[in-house]
Amino acid sequence: MLYALTALFALQLLGDLLVQWLGLPFPGALAGMLLMLAGLLVLGRTPVALERVADGLLQNMMLLFIPSVAGVMLHFDHLQREWLPFVVSGIVGAGVTFTVTAWSMRRLLHTTAEVPQGDAGSSSPEVR
């Protein structure tokens, strides 16, 4: 399990270094996550240790948001002056997220509902 946590931190560090070295316009943590995705695709499976570490982090995710919430509260006077962009971006961002999630789920459910026509006994495809 220590190896999986070390791998997560190493990939984040590598992503940060790549972003700084190449001058990419997105966060290094995102680059590290893309590197991890590429590695998992090449491997073809998720290692058990990585799955356990990720589950533990996901179960305690709210604890990881406490520093960012505290940081926002330090700038509360700025939020009071310019509240409209924050509200609009929150609503638009949620709408875009819901739309993309619904579209993705619809496509995934549509592709998994198709059954191969190799069944000898049935004349119509079944939806499972």
Side-chain angles (χ1 to χ4, degrees):
M1 198 151 71
L2 184 60
Y3 294 119
L5 193 60
T6 304
L8 287 176
F9 286 133
L11 286 170
Q12 183 176 359
L13 178 63
L14 184 60
D16 282 332
L17 292 174
L18 281 174
V19 164
Q20 286 182 359
W21 185 57
L22 298 175
L24 299 174
F26 52 84
L30 178 62
M33 189 178 354
L34 292 173
L35 289 171
M36 183 176 66
L37 175 64
L40 291 175
L41 288 174
V42 168
L43 186 62
R45 62 179 178 81
T46 305
V48 175
L50 182 62
E51 194 172 331
R52 285 183 187 158
V53 167
D55 285 341
L57 289 173
L58 286 173
Q59 288 174 356
N60 297 303
M61 191 183 320
M62 288 307 296
L63 294 174
L64 301 175
F65 285 117
I66 290 173
S68 61
V69 171
V72 167
M73 296 314 288
L74 289 175
H75 300 283
F76 195 65
D77 58 333
H78 184 70
L79 288 173
Q80 283 180 324
R81 286 192 313 267
E82 299 183 27
W83 61 271
L84 186 60
F86 290 107
V87 171
V88 170
S89 65
I91 292 172
V92 170
V96 168
T97 301
F98 291 151
T99 303
V100 170
T101 302
W103 178 79
S104 300
M105 284 301 297
R106 187 172 185 180
R107 286 197 47 120
L108 285 172
L109 291 174
H110 178 70
T111 57
T112 57
E114 296 174 0
V115 175
Q117 296 292 339
D119 293 339
S122 65
S123 60
S124 65
E126 296 177 19
V127 178
R128 297 180 191 194

